[in-house]
Amino acid sequence: MPPTYWMITDRNKQSDGLGSDRAKLSFWVSDQPGLDQFNNWTSVTRKQFKDELIAAGQNFPLILDPAKHEDQKHVTFFVHGFNNTWDDAARRYESICRNLYQGLDGLGICILFNWPSDGSKL
């Protein structure tokens, strides 16, 4: 079974969450709600993340009828705003997943990209 939640981040890792400094990309998955609790995330390698994402996409239905393209599943990236902490972004991401990406009518897979904007628009 593929993970429910996916995250890529270039924030530094701290003991209780993600910090506000840049670091190398890291990859995370979770099956537990409460995504603003850092211990609910599991670190995985880039290869594990990629392989699990490809495997999850293999479960997407093949839609050949152009009239039914609204039934197609998608992989979407959610990139939070420029003045958000990691846990604020995780809460918003969890809400988006719950409302749009879960269940039989879900849109597919949503991946959180969590970045340390430090209040900068750039």
Side-chain angles (χ1 to χ4, degrees), residues 4-121:
T4 305
Y5 304 105
W6 309 74
M7 177 172 60
I8 301 171
T9 185
D10 64 348
R11 289 180 184 262
N12 63 310
K13 182 179 173 249
Q14 299 179 328
S15 61
D16 61 344
L18 297 173
S20 59
D21 293 324
R22 290 197 192 281
K24 287 185 175 184
L25 282 180
S26 60
F27 301 84
W28 304 81
V29 294
S30 179
D31 286 318
Q32 300 179 40
L35 298 179
D36 59 343
Q37 302 301 309
F38 192 61
N39 60 345
N40 286 343
W41 289 97
T42 301
S43 177
V44 295
T45 66
R46 179 187 305 250
K47 182 177 180 350
Q48 288 171 312
F49 191 91
K50 179 181 121 183
D51 290 348
E52 288 191 48
L53 185 58
I54 289 170
Q58 297 296 326
N59 294 325
F60 287 3
L62 179 61
I63 308 294
L64 298 175
D65 181 354
K68 295 188 177 192
H69 274 216
E70 67 274 2
D71 295 332
Q72 182 63 51
K73 303 295 183 186
H74 303 275
V75 174
T76 306
F77 283 91
F78 167 61
V79 181
H80 63 81
F82 70 92
N83 199 15
N84 297 108
T85 61
W86 85 267
D87 50 337
D88 287 339
R91 281 189 291 275
R92 179 69 178 131
Y93 167 72
E94 186 172 6
S95 173
I96 289 168
C97 287
R98 183 176 49 251
N99 292 313
L100 297 174
Y101 287 87
Q102 293 176 352
L104 294 176
D105 293 331
L107 297 176
I109 295 171
C110 187
I111 301 170
L112 169 61
F113 182 76
N114 202 323
W115 60 291
S117 68
D118 198 27
S120 171
K121 296 177 186 174

